[in-house]
Amino acid sequence: MALKDFDVRYATKRAKDYKLADGGGPHLLVRPNGSKHWRMKYRFAANEKLLSFSHYPEVSLAAAGLSRAEAKIALGQGRDPGVRAVAKPKMTFEAVARAWHENRIASLNPGHAARLLRRLERDTFPALGDRDLRAITSADVLAMIRVVEARGRSM
């Protein structure tokens, strides 16, 4: 039997968790503290999984139905609806160094700030600038320093 908004709104807390099933997949889990959570059990790659949509009233009955439909479409396409593809932005060394320089420029002597940026652009950015900050190792930094030292300069 399909849930109605009235059933969801007036679901009362009990001594133990209980579920109010909505036909076709999602259910409302009502906790002893009175909180209400939209969830859906599904199977993917021969494993039973549990997908959580959010809390009621943040997500209404209609929105939970839409989330269920999206999950069913993902399953139909062979994707796990519980896995969200999150693309982390690439933090390059140059982008982070320039942001750091912008943040510090007000507290630095203008001549020193200009020299610092020139040295970064001349020595560091060619070697490490386009690399992901999380992928740079101490060996990479040492190799960059050795190139500068070979030119007869010191860092």
Side-chain angles (χ1 to χ4, degrees):
M1 181 170 101
L3 280 177
K4 297 183 179 103
D5 191 51
F6 178 84
D7 300 327
V8 174
R9 187 178 307 136
Y10 293 105
T12 59
K13 59 184 177 180
R14 297 182 188 166
K16 294 183 179 181
D17 289 353
Y18 70 98
K19 299 175 187 176
L20 294 175
D22 187 23
H27 62 269
L28 183 73
L29 177 68
V30 182
R31 309 298 305 257
N33 65 4
S35 63
K36 302 170 186 177
H37 307 270
W38 289 111
R39 294 189 170 174
M40 184 178 108
K41 278 188 177 181
Y42 66 98
R43 294 189 77 74
F44 184 78
N47 294 321
E48 185 175 293
K49 297 188 173 196
L50 185 65
L51 182 63
S52 177
F53 298 131
S54 192
H55 304 281
Y56 179 85
E58 293 170 12
V59 173
S60 66
L61 176 62
L66 290 174
S67 296
R68 172 203 167 270
E70 290 171 359
K72 292 285 186 177
I73 289 170
L75 285 169
Q77 294 173 344
R79 293 184 294 118
D80 186 353
V83 176
R84 306 227 190 283
V86 178
K88 291 184 178 178
K90 187 176 178 184
M91 293 188 336
T92 63
F93 180 84
E94 183 172 357
V96 173
R98 287 186 185 278
W100 170 82
H101 187 265
E102 281 296 316
N103 189 33
R104 298 268 306 151
I105 199 164
S107 65
L108 297 174
N109 177 300
H112 178 65
R115 272 191 313 276
L116 181 62
L117 186 58
R118 268 195 320 270
R119 288 176 182 167
L120 284 169
E121 289 172 344
R122 182 186 61 219
D123 300 325
T124 311
F125 294 162
L128 304 174
D130 62 344
R131 306 251 328 255
D132 187 346
L133 187 64
R134 293 169 281 216
I136 296 174
T137 64
S138 58
D140 298 327
V141 175
L142 184 61
M144 185 260 318
I145 291 172
R146 296 282 188 240
V147 169
V148 173
E149 287 176 343
R151 282 198 332 247
R153 301 277 182 171
S154 65
M155 295 298 287

